[in-house]
Each structure stands twice: as C-alpha cells, then as structure tokens.
Amino acid sequence: MKYSATFRGRTLDFGDLRNLLAKASPPRSADQLAGLAAGCESERALARRVLADVPLKQFLEEPLVPPERDEVSRLILEGRDAAALAPVAALTVGEFRDWLLAGNGDPGELAAGLMPEMVAAVSKLMRNQDLIAVARRCRVVTRFRNTLGLPGRLSTRLQPNHPTDDPRGIAASILDGLMYGSGDAVIGINPATDNLGNVRKLLDLLDEIIQRHRIPTQACVLSHVTTTMQLLQRGAPVDLVFQSIAGTEAANRSFGIDLTLLGEAHAMALELKRGSCGDQVMYFETGQGSALSAEAHHGIDAQTCEARAYAVARAFSPLLVNTVVGFIGPEYLYDGKQIIRAGLEDHFCGKLLGLPMGCDVCYTNHAEADQDDMDNLLTLLAVAGCNYIMGIPGADDVMLAYQSSSFHDALYLRQVLGLRPAPEFEAWLERAGIFDGGNRLAEGRAPLPLLDHLAAVGGA
C-alpha cells in the first residue's frame, strides 16, 4: 500500500506504515529526539489524512516489527481474537474513529480482537475530548482482595516510599494515606534497595498491617520480578508480582525480562491463592519513551511503542496497569501539554485493549510543567473513568525525587465528581471510623488500634 498525499502541488511520500504513524503523532520531544516527528504541522496534518484512509486490516499485513524478530509482535498477531474484531474489521482508521465516537457498540467487546497499533493509530486522529469520551465507556473490572474499576469508583495506590526504606517512615506514610481513604488499589512501595533481605522486610511489614487490621486491599513491593520470584520460592507473603514492561522484545530484554519469565512469575503467584475475591496477581507499569531510552524502538514512535506494551500486560490478566506518564523527563515529554496528551492517550489505548488502566500523574522537576498541569490531567482522567491514581504524601516522592499526586488530590476528585473507593475498602473505612458513611472523612473519630500499631512500628 502507498502512503502519500499531495498538497499545493507537492507529493509527500511517507514510505511505510511505521513512518506514517510517527508523522501523524501529536508533537512530543521523544519523537523529535528519535528523528521520527513530523517536520511541521502541515506534514502532521497530511499524515493524519493519509492514516485515516488506512484499512484496519493493513496492520495485520504490515507488522511494524517482523514477528520472526520480536516476540511482542508474535504475541500481538498470534493472540488476537479475529471474531472479536468482526464488527469493525472492514473499516479504515478514520471510520473506526467515527464508529467509536458514535457509540453504536460497546468498545470493550472489541478488546480481544484489537491490535495495539490499530488503537494507537485511531488515537492519533482524536482530540482530547474524543479520548475521554470513548475511554469513559470502557469499564475494566479486576479483583484480588477488593473490586476495582466499577462505575462511580476511583481507587488509589498508597505509595509510602522512603529514601532509606525506614519502617518508621513507611508506617507514617501508610497511616497518613489510610486516614485520607487512600490505598484501595494497592499499598505499593518502591524499594530503595532491591535485595532479598530488604524486600522481604518490606513485604512482611505490609502483610502484618493488612492482616492485623483486616484491610481489604493488596500489598506490593515493586522489586524486579526475579527478586520477587526468589522470595516466592522462600514463602514470602507476596500478593502482587510487579514489573515494568515495554513494547518490544529488545526493550524488555533491557529490563531483564521476557514473556516466558513473566509467565513463570504469574504461575508462581497464582499458586499462593492469597486473593479473597479474585486471582488477578500482576501489576505492570509502563511509560512513553522507555523503548527509545533503551535504543530498542525499531523506528516506532513513542506512543505506538507504549500501546504495544499493553499487549504484553493483557496476556497476563493484571489487576493493575499504570502509565508513569511524566516520569522519564522532558527529553521524552517536554511540558505540561505533552504530558496531559500522553496521559489521555495511554489511558484510552489501555482501556480499549481491555486493561485496568491507572495513571501516575507526574512530572520531574526539570520538566516545563507544574502542579496546575497535573490538576488538569487528574481531573480529565477521572472524567475519563481512570481506575486509579497515586497517593503520595504531599504529592512529593522523597525517594524517587519526582512530583505526583497526593492523598488530598484523591479526596478532591471523589468530592467534586461524586466518586467513591472500592466497595470493600469503603466499608472498611466506615468500620474503622475514617469515613462517615457519606464518602466524607469522619470528624472527631480515630481508628485507635491502627494508630497504636503503626505508631509502634520500628519502635517509634
């Protein structure tokens, strides 16, 4: 198929599908750094016009990375359910956009048949409001110790990171988060030191808190999957297996993983049967630019690479997936506008592919962004039906040194949009005296056993 357009007597040839997708992408510094971005807005508009006429079936006929060279491409092509795609299989990318916006069917029913490249392509033709409107109709519900993703609900990951993994500092952050109703998605720690002894200590701490106070949530220490697997073999109390993933085999190799390793970890975690209402045991994080930073993007634009990572996640039925949207830095997403667009794209693409998408609404201190930009993205994602966001003391992660969202941000979203925590967690908040039964913080009451226990952690 030829990918070309004529404008003012000049014919512009985009070469192949991979280049066309890159030129049609909204501006972002990652694609400029890689030499893939459109040279001007006229070129970008022409690329989108050509992309709109590409049949969806073309993505089957022209893989962006040959499957014989890339296991992610093989997974995408071999794992696709052709019957699920049937309602839109004969459409072009532009017609698919119109179908999605018309609301004629349930987008979620297409998920198993859609290729990530198809979803990335249609997102490039959409305004921000289009991404929000379609994603809001895609509900993905998951379960482990509670039920996440239900309509009218917004969950949070309580992220009590500490620069030295001090149990007292971690316990203080956990108490702070729980007292604001945070932590129903997961209580998840990024360890400062990824070694067996330290990670085991953190896992035991989280498990003791959850079990003693019968909190209907799950814990995770975000160590490398191989560390978690060793601890699983030693009987550690692992609820969720975490791993960062990317959209190409080479990028995943740079993380020290492949699909076989993830499959082994998934099977090991399932054997523990620690979930009380479900068995979805995987937690994945992604981010635009990760394949480029590993020099493993194969000439594919950052957003399409990101969508391909969702095929990896989808293969393991995860409880949680989140895009850490502004974490890599301005070399990849330069400013607030690019971060906002990327967050909406990632949420849309993940939900359309059937994933329980959350978002770490964040930026680094050297990016051209501020907390007002993050407030905008937070609100837009909540309107779009995002499953969960991060909850960090003061929105400032003192271990990872970046800016994210706070416990107060979750309260703001729940109050202005009428959203509530996961139902099991909400009931616990009411029993503990933290919420008053009306989705509000209770006044004049405190969960004394929780306060006494967490105050005593580490001898405090």
Side-chain angles (χ1 to χ4, degrees):
M1 182 174 177
K2 290 190 65 176
Y3 306 107
S4 61
T6 301
F7 179 67
R8 293 182 177 175
R10 177 189 170 202
T11 298
L12 196 60
D13 187 355
F14 295 100
D16 58 18
L17 187 54
R18 180 173 51 189
N19 186 57
L20 177 66
L21 288 166
K23 295 296 187 286
S25 291
R28 66 206 52 201
S29 49
D31 295 339
Q32 293 167 344
L33 180 66
L36 301 174
C40 62
E41 286 302 317
S42 295
E43 184 181 11
R44 183 172 290 111
L46 286 172
R48 288 173 176 169
R49 192 175 79 183
V50 175
L51 181 60
D53 291 333
V54 173
L56 292 178
K57 65 181 181 182
Q58 186 65 21
F59 292 94
L60 287 164
E61 299 172 4
E62 190 179 340
L64 302 189
V65 186
E68 59 271 17
R69 291 171 42 202
D70 183 88
E71 67 173 0
V72 177
S73 293
R74 291 196 296 276
L75 175 69
I76 290 168
L77 292 168
E78 295 171 4
R80 195 181 64 86
D81 182 348
L85 188 66
V88 298
L91 302 182
T92 65
V93 175
E95 290 168 342
F96 182 36
R97 172 188 177 277
D98 294 342
W99 186 93
L100 289 169
L101 292 174
N104 293 323
D106 180 0
E109 294 180 357
L110 304 176
L114 288 168
M115 295 173 62
E117 295 87 348
M118 297 174 182
V119 174
V122 77
S123 76
K124 298 176 194 297
L125 305 183
M126 290 182 156
R127 296 168 57 186
N128 286 2
Q129 69 172 245
D130 300 337
L131 299 173
I132 293 167
V134 175
R136 185 174 177 83
R137 292 164 45 215
C138 300
R139 282 290 165 187
V140 183
V141 178
T142 57
R143 295 176 175 86
F144 187 75
R145 287 202 188 97
N146 56 25
T147 307
L148 304 172
L150 293 169
R153 306 279 174 170
L154 175 71
S155 297
T156 60
R157 169 189 161 187
L158 202 172
Q159 185 169 310
N161 295 345
H162 191 278
T164 63
D165 289 334
D166 184 346
R168 293 171 297 176
I170 290 170
S173 292
I174 291 173
L175 176 60
D176 191 17
L178 291 174
M179 292 298 289
Y180 281 102
S182 184
D184 49 340
V186 64
I187 304 176
I189 303 172
N190 296 89
T193 305
D194 189 351
N195 64 56
L196 292 177
N198 185 59
V199 174
R200 178 62 187 261
K201 176 186 69 176
L202 297 177
L203 285 169
D204 288 340
L205 170 64
L206 294 179
D207 187 59
E208 180 189 2
I209 293 170
I210 289 173
Q211 298 301 332
R212 178 181 292 199
H213 301 286
R214 298 181 181 180
I215 307 173
T217 190
Q218 34 284 328
C220 186
V221 177
L222 282 68
S223 56
H224 192 270
V225 65
T226 53
T227 302
T228 305
M229 291 170 74
Q230 292 182 66
L231 289 167
L232 280 165
Q233 292 172 336
R234 300 182 184 193
V238 174
D239 290 342
L240 305 182
V241 174
F242 167 81
Q243 183 56 45
S244 295
I245 56 173
T248 70
E249 179 180 345
N252 284 325
R253 279 204 309 268
S254 78
F255 292 158
I257 63 168
D258 58 25
L259 297 180
T260 299
L261 184 69
L262 293 177
E264 292 173 358
H266 183 225
M268 291 174 69
L270 284 174
E271 289 180 1
L272 294 185
K273 302 183 186 301
R274 290 176 60 83
S276 57
C277 66
D279 61 357
Q280 289 170 288
V281 295
M282 302 300 283
Y283 174 15
F284 295 116
E285 286 189 348
T286 66
Q288 288 192 29
S290 59
L292 174 60
S293 66
E295 298 183 350
H297 61 293
H298 298 285
I300 303 171
D301 67 89
Q303 190 252 333
T304 303
C305 273
E306 170 75 2
R308 284 170 54 93
Y310 302 154
V312 176
R314 185 171 61 177
F316 300 100
S317 186
L319 181 78
L320 305 168
V321 179
N322 74 271
T323 167
V324 192
V325 67
F327 182 73
I328 302 181
E331 300 84 357
Y332 301 91
L333 293 168
Y334 179 72
D335 57 14
K337 183 172 183 177
Q338 290 189 12
I339 292 171
I340 289 168
R341 174 68 190 192
L344 295 176
E345 287 171 346
D346 294 350
H347 178 254
F348 164 86
C349 290
K351 281 290 188 63
L352 203 52
L353 289 166
L355 290 179
M357 288 301 294
C359 184
D360 191 344
V361 179
C362 62
Y363 64 102
T364 58
N365 290 321
H366 62 309
E368 290 294 322
D370 59 27
Q371 212 63 38
D372 286 336
D373 295 314
M374 299 306 104
D375 286 349
N376 293 341
L377 180 53
L378 269 170
T379 306
L380 294 172
L381 285 168
V383 172
C386 188
N387 280 30
Y388 69 104
I389 61 168
M390 305 300 115
I392 298 171
D396 184 5
D397 192 304
V398 295
M399 193 274 280
L400 293 175
Y402 78 116
Q403 308 302 311
S404 185
S405 49
S406 72
F407 308 136
H408 302 78
D409 292 329
L411 284 181
Y412 146 72
L413 291 174
R414 286 171 175 168
Q415 289 170 0
V416 301
L417 296 175
L419 301 171
R420 297 155 62 191
E424 300 89 345
F425 191 79
E426 182 181 38
W428 177 82
L429 290 171
E430 293 173 4
R431 290 196 302 271
I434 297 171
F435 273 23
D436 67 1
N439 195 30
R440 296 184 302 270
L441 293 178
E443 296 183 8
R445 300 170 65 191
L448 295 179
L450 180 67
L451 288 167
D452 291 342
H453 174 216
L454 292 182
V457 169

